[in-house]
PDB file of all heavy atoms in Angstrom:
ATOM      1  N   TYR H  10      47.592 -14.099 105.762  1.00 92.00           N
ATOM      2  CA  TYR H  10      46.340 -13.559 106.276  1.00 92.00           C
ATOM      3  C   TYR H  10      46.437 -12.044 106.129  1.00 92.00           C
ATOM      4  O   TYR H  10      47.527 -11.469 106.216  1.00 92.00           O
ATOM      5  CB  TYR H  10      46.143 -13.934 107.753  1.00 92.00           C
ATOM      6  CG  TYR H  10      45.929 -15.412 107.963  1.00 92.00           C
ATOM      7  CD1 TYR H  10      47.005 -16.276 108.107  1.00 92.00           C
ATOM      8  CD2 TYR H  10      44.637 -15.928 108.013  1.00 92.00           C
ATOM      9  CE1 TYR H  10      46.806 -17.631 108.288  1.00 92.00           C
ATOM     10  CE2 TYR H  10      44.434 -17.292 108.197  1.00 92.00           C
ATOM     11  CZ  TYR H  10      45.526 -18.137 108.324  1.00 92.00           C
ATOM     12  OH  TYR H  10      45.322 -19.480 108.497  1.00 92.00           O
ATOM     13  N   PHE H  11      45.318 -11.405 105.893  1.00 91.00           N
ATOM     14  CA  PHE H  11      45.330  -9.950 105.779  1.00 91.00           C
ATOM     15  C   PHE H  11      44.107  -9.387 106.482  1.00 91.00           C
ATOM     16  O   PHE H  11      43.117 -10.092 106.694  1.00 91.00           O
ATOM     17  CB  PHE H  11      45.386  -9.503 104.309  1.00 91.00           C
ATOM     18  CG  PHE H  11      44.228  -9.965 103.470  1.00 91.00           C
ATOM     19  CD1 PHE H  11      43.127  -9.148 103.257  1.00 91.00           C
ATOM     20  CD2 PHE H  11      44.233 -11.231 102.874  1.00 91.00           C
ATOM     21  CE1 PHE H  11      42.065  -9.569 102.481  1.00 91.00           C
ATOM     22  CE2 PHE H  11      43.178 -11.656 102.096  1.00 91.00           C
ATOM     23  CZ  PHE H  11      42.085 -10.835 101.895  1.00 91.00           C
ATOM     24  N   ALA H  12      44.209  -8.141 106.874  1.00 90.00           N
ATOM     25  CA  ALA H  12      43.106  -7.476 107.573  1.00 90.00           C
ATOM     26  C   ALA H  12      42.426  -6.511 106.617  1.00 90.00           C
ATOM     27  O   ALA H  12      43.074  -5.686 105.990  1.00 90.00           O
ATOM     28  CB  ALA H  12      43.637  -6.728 108.786  1.00 90.00           C
ATOM     29  N   LYS H  13      41.129  -6.647 106.492  1.00 84.00           N
ATOM     30  CA  LYS H  13      40.294  -5.735 105.709  1.00 84.00           C
ATOM     31  C   LYS H  13      39.422  -5.020 106.711  1.00 84.00           C
ATOM     32  O   LYS H  13      38.478  -5.599 107.238  1.00 84.00           O
ATOM     33  CB  LYS H  13      39.477  -6.560 104.733  1.00 84.00           C
ATOM     34  CG  LYS H  13      39.234  -6.054 103.360  1.00 84.00           C
ATOM     35  CD  LYS H  13      40.410  -5.435 102.716  1.00 84.00           C
ATOM     36  CE  LYS H  13      39.937  -4.859 101.406  1.00 84.00           C
ATOM     37  NZ  LYS H  13      40.639  -3.727 100.980  1.00 84.00           N
ATOM     38  N   GLY H  14      39.761  -3.764 107.014  1.00 78.00           N
ATOM     39  CA  GLY H  14      39.080  -3.070 108.103  1.00 78.00           C
ATOM     40  C   GLY H  14      39.465  -3.730 109.412  1.00 78.00           C
ATOM     41  O   GLY H  14      40.633  -3.905 109.706  1.00 78.00           O
ATOM     42  N   ALA H  15      38.497  -4.174 110.183  1.00 82.00           N
ATOM     43  CA  ALA H  15      38.782  -4.871 111.442  1.00 82.00           C
ATOM     44  C   ALA H  15      38.596  -6.377 111.292  1.00 82.00           C
ATOM     45  O   ALA H  15      38.663  -7.117 112.257  1.00 82.00           O
ATOM     46  CB  ALA H  15      37.876  -4.332 112.538  1.00 82.00           C
ATOM     47  N   GLN H  16      38.388  -6.842 110.049  1.00 88.00           N
ATOM     48  CA  GLN H  16      38.111  -8.265 109.827  1.00 88.00           C
ATOM     49  C   GLN H  16      39.345  -8.976 109.278  1.00 88.00           C
ATOM     50  O   GLN H  16      39.980  -8.512 108.341  1.00 88.00           O
ATOM     51  CB  GLN H  16      36.949  -8.397 108.832  1.00 88.00           C
ATOM     52  CG  GLN H  16      36.487  -9.814 108.656  1.00 88.00           C
ATOM     53  CD  GLN H  16      35.286  -9.884 107.729  1.00 88.00           C
ATOM     54  OE1 GLN H  16      34.952  -8.930 107.049  1.00 88.00           O
ATOM     55  NE2 GLN H  16      34.647 -11.039 107.695  1.00 88.00           N
ATOM     56  N   GLN H  17      39.661 -10.111 109.876  1.00 90.00           N
ATOM     57  CA  GLN H  17      40.776 -10.939 109.410  1.00 90.00           C
ATOM     58  C   GLN H  17      40.314 -11.794 108.239  1.00 90.00           C
ATOM     59  O   GLN H  17      39.263 -12.413 108.296  1.00 90.00           O
ATOM     60  CB  GLN H  17      41.263 -11.827 110.555  1.00 90.00           C
ATOM     61  CG  GLN H  17      42.363 -12.776 110.154  1.00 90.00           C
ATOM     62  CD  GLN H  17      42.793 -13.647 111.315  1.00 90.00           C
ATOM     63  OE1 GLN H  17      42.924 -13.172 112.429  1.00 90.00           O
ATOM     64  NE2 GLN H  17      42.995 -14.929 111.051  1.00 90.00           N
ATOM     65  N   MET H  18      41.095 -11.815 107.161  1.00 90.00           N
ATOM     66  CA  MET H  18      40.762 -12.583 105.965  1.00 90.00           C
ATOM     67  C   MET H  18      41.917 -13.534 105.662  1.00 90.00           C
ATOM     68  O   MET H  18      43.037 -13.308 106.051  1.00 90.00           O
ATOM     69  CB  MET H  18      40.558 -11.643 104.773  1.00 90.00           C
ATOM     70  CG  MET H  18      39.619 -10.480 105.031  1.00 90.00           C
ATOM     71  SD  MET H  18      37.924 -10.922 105.017  1.00 90.00           S
ATOM     72  CE  MET H  18      37.595 -10.909 103.297  1.00 90.00           C
ATOM     73  N   ILE H  35      43.748  -4.736  98.112  1.00 87.00           N
ATOM     74  CA  ILE H  35      44.531  -4.519  99.320  1.00 87.00           C
ATOM     75  C   ILE H  35      45.533  -3.427  98.977  1.00 87.00           C
ATOM     76  O   ILE H  35      46.064  -3.392  97.867  1.00 87.00           O
ATOM     77  CB  ILE H  35      45.300  -5.802  99.738  1.00 87.00           C
ATOM     78  CG1 ILE H  35      44.329  -6.950  99.994  1.00 87.00           C
ATOM     79  CG2 ILE H  35      46.142  -5.549 100.971  1.00 87.00           C
ATOM     80  CD1 ILE H  35      45.035  -8.270 100.263  1.00 87.00           C
ATOM     81  N   THR H  38      49.305  -0.295 102.905  1.00 85.00           N
ATOM     82  CA  THR H  38      49.168   0.034 104.333  1.00 85.00           C
ATOM     83  C   THR H  38      48.294  -0.962 105.078  1.00 85.00           C
ATOM     84  O   THR H  38      48.218  -0.910 106.301  1.00 85.00           O
ATOM     85  CB  THR H  38      48.582   1.449 104.495  1.00 85.00           C
ATOM     86  OG1 THR H  38      47.365   1.527 103.771  1.00 85.00           O
ATOM     87  CG2 THR H  38      49.560   2.501 103.995  1.00 85.00           C
ATOM     88  N   ASP H  39      47.635  -1.881 104.360  1.00 87.00           N
ATOM     89  CA  ASP H  39      46.832  -2.914 105.025  1.00 87.00           C
ATOM     90  C   ASP H  39      47.767  -3.889 105.748  1.00 87.00           C
ATOM     91  O   ASP H  39      48.873  -4.159 105.301  1.00 87.00           O
ATOM     92  CB  ASP H  39      45.971  -3.673 104.002  1.00 87.00           C
ATOM     93  CG  ASP H  39      44.772  -2.854 103.540  1.00 87.00           C
ATOM     94  OD1 ASP H  39      44.380  -1.909 104.246  1.00 87.00           O
ATOM     95  OD2 ASP H  39      44.244  -3.163 102.464  1.00 87.00           O
ATOM     96  N   MET H  40      47.284  -4.429 106.848  1.00 89.00           N
ATOM     97  CA  MET H  40      48.097  -5.314 107.680  1.00 89.00           C
ATOM     98  C   MET H  40      48.039  -6.752 107.169  1.00 89.00           C
ATOM     99  O   MET H  40      46.983  -7.224 106.731  1.00 89.00           O
ATOM    100  CB  MET H  40      47.602  -5.266 109.131  1.00 89.00           C
ATOM    101  CG  MET H  40      47.592  -3.862 109.727  1.00 89.00           C
ATOM    102  SD  MET H  40      49.204  -3.078 109.719  1.00 89.00           S
ATOM    103  CE  MET H  40      49.923  -3.803 111.153  1.00 89.00           C
ATOM    104  N   VAL H  41      49.211  -7.431 107.208  1.00 91.00           N
ATOM    105  CA  VAL H  41      49.316  -8.827 106.769  1.00 91.00           C
ATOM    106  C   VAL H  41      50.098  -9.623 107.811  1.00 91.00           C
ATOM    107  O   VAL H  41      50.834  -9.064 108.620  1.00 91.00           O
ATOM    108  CB  VAL H  41      50.006  -8.933 105.381  1.00 91.00           C
ATOM    109  CG1 VAL H  41      49.178  -8.264 104.304  1.00 91.00           C
ATOM    110  CG2 VAL H  41      51.408  -8.362 105.407  1.00 91.00           C
ATOM    111  N   TRP H  42      49.918 -10.953 107.748  1.00 92.00           N
ATOM    112  CA  TRP H  42      50.632 -11.849 108.667  1.00 92.00           C
ATOM    113  C   TRP H  42      50.750 -13.208 108.008  1.00 92.00           C
ATOM    114  O   TRP H  42      49.885 -13.635 107.240  1.00 92.00           O
ATOM    115  CB  TRP H  42      49.865 -11.981 109.973  1.00 92.00           C
ATOM    116  CG  TRP H  42      50.545 -12.894 110.971  1.00 92.00           C
ATOM    117  CD1 TRP H  42      51.497 -12.551 111.873  1.00 92.00           C
ATOM    118  CD2 TRP H  42      50.310 -14.300 111.139  1.00 92.00           C
ATOM    119  NE1 TRP H  42      51.876 -13.638 112.601  1.00 92.00           N
ATOM    120  CE2 TRP H  42      51.164 -14.750 112.164  1.00 92.00           C
ATOM    121  CE3 TRP H  42      49.481 -15.231 110.522  1.00 92.00           C
ATOM    122  CZ2 TRP H  42      51.209 -16.065 112.596  1.00 92.00           C
ATOM    123  CZ3 TRP H  42      49.519 -16.538 110.950  1.00 92.00           C
ATOM    124  CH2 TRP H  42      50.379 -16.946 111.978  1.00 92.00           C
ATOM    125  N   TRP H  49      51.512  -8.579 113.208  1.00 91.00           N
ATOM    126  CA  TRP H  49      50.949  -8.118 111.944  1.00 91.00           C
ATOM    127  C   TRP H  49      51.747  -6.893 111.513  1.00 91.00           C
ATOM    128  O   TRP H  49      52.127  -6.056 112.339  1.00 91.00           O
ATOM    129  CB  TRP H  49      49.490  -7.719 112.124  1.00 91.00           C
ATOM    130  CG  TRP H  49      48.563  -8.885 112.308  1.00 91.00           C
ATOM    131  CD1 TRP H  49      48.410  -9.642 113.425  1.00 91.00           C
ATOM    132  CD2 TRP H  49      47.673  -9.424 111.342  1.00 91.00           C
ATOM    133  NE1 TRP H  49      47.480 -10.626 113.225  1.00 91.00           N
ATOM    134  CE2 TRP H  49      46.994 -10.501 111.936  1.00 91.00           C
ATOM    135  CE3 TRP H  49      47.368  -9.096 110.025  1.00 91.00           C
ATOM    136  CZ2 TRP H  49      46.041 -11.251 111.272  1.00 91.00           C
ATOM    137  CZ3 TRP H  49      46.409  -9.841 109.364  1.00 91.00           C
ATOM    138  CH2 TRP H  49      45.763 -10.914 109.975  1.00 91.00           C
TER     139      TRP H  49
END
Side-chain angles (χ1 to χ4, degrees):
Y10 293 86
F11 60 96
K13 218 42 186 150
Q16 186 177 13
Q17 177 181 318
M18 310 283 278
I35 301 174
T38 55
D39 285 340
M40 303 301 279
V41 296
W42 180 87
W49 287 75

